[in-house]
Amino acid sequence: MPKLFSNKRLIVILISFILAAASIVFSIRIINYSQTPPYLLKLTNDVIDVTSYVVNEPGRLLKNGFNFQTELISTYQENQKLKKKVDQLEQNQTKIEILTRENKELKKELQLNATLSDYSQITAAVLSRSPANWQDVLIINRGSVNGIKKNMPVMSGSGVIGRIMEVNHLNSKVELISSNSKIANHFAAQITTKKGEVINGVITGYSETENALIFGNVSTDTEIHIGDAVVTSGLGGVVPKGLLIGKVNKIEKKDYGLSTMIYVKSATNINDFSVVTVIDRTVGN
Amino acid sequence: MKKRNNFKIFFFALFLIYILILVDGSISFIAHFFSALVAGKIFWLGSLCVLTVLSFEINVNFLGVAVVSGIIADIFYSGIIGIYTVSFAITAIFLKWIVQYLPHNFIYIISSYFLSVTIFSTIYYGINNYLGLTRTAPFQYLATYLPATLLFNLFYFIILYVPMLKIIENFKRKLALKDEK
């Protein structure tokens, strides 16, 4: 009869394999169910964060330098375009102020303190990005001490770029909206057509060939046009209503015309950002 | 004395790999500014570059270092502990095995790095794919992601090799001097 523990190396390999598998399963459970990671992981993340400042700072400076150069080149052209928009903006600004005041008064009359579209902002700098090409994860320099909570949406420029997937004391991880991970939380979104009809759906992933986000889970007869705005619907979780995701870029009929695949061109460059804004919804906090 | 030296080597290797893990993230962040389409297909592996050079220059088993640094990378970048760790550990075992049969010169070291990037990246992708963390098809990985990763990491290695070698040789000299005393 062969001895049960005859090959030490094999036993070590087996135990290591079981430990590694257990560790992966445990980590995925934490990501899916827990509000924040365990204290030890948080602490490790914070210690790494402090040292990463020193290592990442030259890189950030370099990137900012490049940004500065590119921006300088395009300044003149942008200036011409912006001059034309200034008058219109001033008009819009006055209009917004009047509408905001009116909205506040109406909310007061209805005794509504806050709605799905009310939020405050937390600005953060991007520290690093996952070196693995299929993990669209950013690390930002704001954590729970700054009021960051799990699943908060993150914006850059005028569009949504992702959501907070892990919160530590001093830093947080952001999962980009372009993530194709099957365990990622997807954004509930809606399209408002020119006729004012609303179509609800979910941002299900990112198409590399189209270089656009995919607005899925849609089965509607409503006519959608290229250029229609796609915004967050405010349903499910802590994402406020009305954050701009992008504009409809392409519409494709799938499954013999039973479902519609909508490609959304992001409102912002989802790959180039140094500073991001974390959105904190007023309702539900 | 040997035990003390091993202890020093462990922390020296861990420190170097740790720094390169952070640099990898920084490079990935900057690279996306130039071309997101290309940068999105590269897995930056400076940490593996250190491990390869260390395996050739210092005759010690770096499995422990690979496991600890893998855990650090997993905690910091993905939050899923085990993927980087397993891939890094297997690559360290491979390097330990291959170093016995190859002479220590640049061509063989860069060839070993080439092989270890392939092994590391493939295991890493395999686990990610199995867990559903990526929708990249195996064919797509082999046709676009792996060649891009290999090509850019080759340049990365060429840039890192000389300074890395100088740092390691300096460390070895200091260690030998202390032993003589």
Side-chain angles (χ1 to χ4, degrees), chain A residues 20 23-24 27 45 48 51 56 66-67 128-131 133-135 137 173 180 182-183 208 271-273, chain B residues 18 25-26 28-29 32-33 36 40-44 75-77 80-81 86 124 128 131-133 135 145:
Chain A
S23 162
I24 292 171
S27 309
N45 261 307
I48 301 169
T51 41
N56 293 329
F66 282 125
N67 263 339
S128 186
R129 189 181 179 125
S130 165
N133 35 33
W134 42 78
Q135 280 172 348
V137 176
K173 288 188 184 79
N180 272 327
K182 285 175 196 164
I183 63 163
E208 271 183 34
N271 281 303
D272 177 32
F273 24 69
Chain B
Y18 172 67
S26 206
S28 172
F29 174 53
H32 274 82
F33 169 74
K41 291 186 170 48
I42 309 160
F43 190 172
W44 297 98
I75 290 175
F76 193 58
Y77 287 122
I80 300 171
I81 306 162
V86 170
Y124 197 91
N128 271 284
L131 295 172
L133 299 174
R135 284 183 194 163
Y145 285 72

Side-chain angles (χ1 to χ4, degrees), chain A:
Chain A
M1 194 182 146
K3 281 182 187 174
L4 190 63
F5 298 107
S6 59
N7 194 338
K8 256 188 185 175
R9 189 174 279 182
L10 191 70
I11 291 164
V12 170
I13 290 170
L14 277 173
I15 292 172
S16 310
F17 182 75
I18 292 165
L19 281 176
S23 162
I24 292 171
V25 171
F26 174 70
S27 309
I28 289 176
R29 276 189 72 87
I30 287 173
I31 283 179
N32 277 343
Y33 299 113
S34 166
Q35 276 297 306
T36 45
Y39 187 75
L40 192 67
L41 291 189
K42 263 189 185 181
L43 195 73
T44 317
N45 261 307
D46 292 334
V47 172
I48 301 169
D49 180 68
V50 174
T51 41
S52 78
Y53 266 109
V54 184
V55 177
N56 293 329
E57 205 45 37
R60 274 178 51 76
L61 288 174
L62 192 76
K63 188 173 183 290
N64 289 345
F66 282 125
N67 263 339
F68 178 71
Q69 290 286 335
T70 336
E71 276 165 20
L72 203 66
I73 293 163
S74 57
T75 301
Y76 177 75
Q77 290 168 336
E78 270 179 21
N79 193 30
Q80 296 295 319
K81 275 186 203 168
L82 289 171
K83 266 181 184 171
K84 287 176 192 166
K85 283 191 177 176
V86 165
D87 294 337
Q88 201 186 336
L89 271 174
E90 274 174 13
Q91 263 182 1
N92 283 346
Q93 186 70 32
T94 331
K95 217 177 193 177
I96 288 168
E97 274 169 25
I98 295 165
L99 286 171
T100 316
R101 217 176 303 139
E102 201 177 278
N103 196 17
K104 239 181 199 172
E105 280 165 16
L106 288 169
K107 273 181 185 173
K108 218 177 184 179
E109 267 184 39
L110 285 168
Q111 290 178 327
L112 269 175
N113 291 326
T115 58
L116 286 174
S117 56
D118 290 327
Y119 60 81
S120 59
Q121 301 177 344
I122 304 159
T123 311
V126 181
L127 282 179
S128 186
R129 189 181 179 125
S130 165
N133 35 33
W134 42 78
Q135 280 172 348
D136 285 321
V137 176
L138 295 179
I139 292 117
I140 58 167
N141 70 343
R142 292 283 183 268
S144 55
V145 290
N146 307 101
I148 305 274
K149 287 181 196 118
K150 203 175 170 178
N151 286 328
M152 277 180 173
V154 181
M155 291 184 81
S156 170
S158 54
V160 175
I161 58 156
R163 72 164 82 224
I164 301 287
M165 65 176 278
E166 187 187 299
V167 187
N168 303 300
H169 291 114
L170 303 171
N171 63 33
S172 305
K173 288 188 184 79
V174 178
E175 186 172 51
L176 292 180
I177 197 167
S178 55
S179 171
N180 272 327
S181 166
K182 285 175 196 164
I183 63 163
N185 278 336
H186 298 300
F187 274 92
Q190 64 184 36
I191 298 173
T192 311
T193 61
K194 273 156 195 150
K195 285 179 188 169
E197 286 167 302
V198 173
I199 300 132
N200 281 301
V202 173
I203 299 292
T204 52
Y206 181 77
S207 164
E208 271 183 34
T209 45
E210 297 293 336
N211 192 20
L213 301 164
I214 301 162
F215 184 89
N217 296 357
V218 187
S219 52
T220 178
D221 294 330
T222 315
E223 215 174 309
I224 302 162
H225 294 98
I226 289 167
D228 285 346
V230 182
V231 295
T232 54
S233 63
L235 302 169
V238 291
V239 182
K241 189 180 179 178
L243 299 179
L244 183 65
I245 294 173
K247 285 188 172 171
V248 174
N249 191 33
K250 191 180 170 186
I251 305 153
E252 245 178 41
K253 287 278 177 197
K254 292 256 167 165
D255 303 326
Y256 305 101
L258 289 173
S259 67
T260 317
M261 181 85 108
I262 298 159
Y263 295 100
V264 179
K265 187 85 186 160
S266 180
T268 184
N269 183 351
I270 50 171
N271 281 303
D272 177 32
F273 24 69
S274 307
V275 178
V276 294
T277 312
V278 184
I279 306 294
D280 185 5
R281 189 168 82 172
T282 317
V283 167
N285 283 337

Side-chain angles (χ1 to χ4, degrees), chain B residues 5 9 12 53-60 62 104 164-180:
Chain B
N5 276 355
I9 292 167
F12 170 73
V53 180
L54 275 169
S55 300
F56 273 89
E57 293 298 321
I58 304 172
N59 190 22
V60 180
F62 287 104
H104 294 198
M164 198 60 61
L165 198 67
K166 284 240 163 98
I167 293 169
I168 293 168
E169 276 177 353
N170 201 19
F171 170 76
K172 274 167 74 180
R173 210 174 303 128
K174 275 183 185 168
L175 212 66
L177 271 175
K178 273 188 183 170
D179 275 358
E180 276 174 25

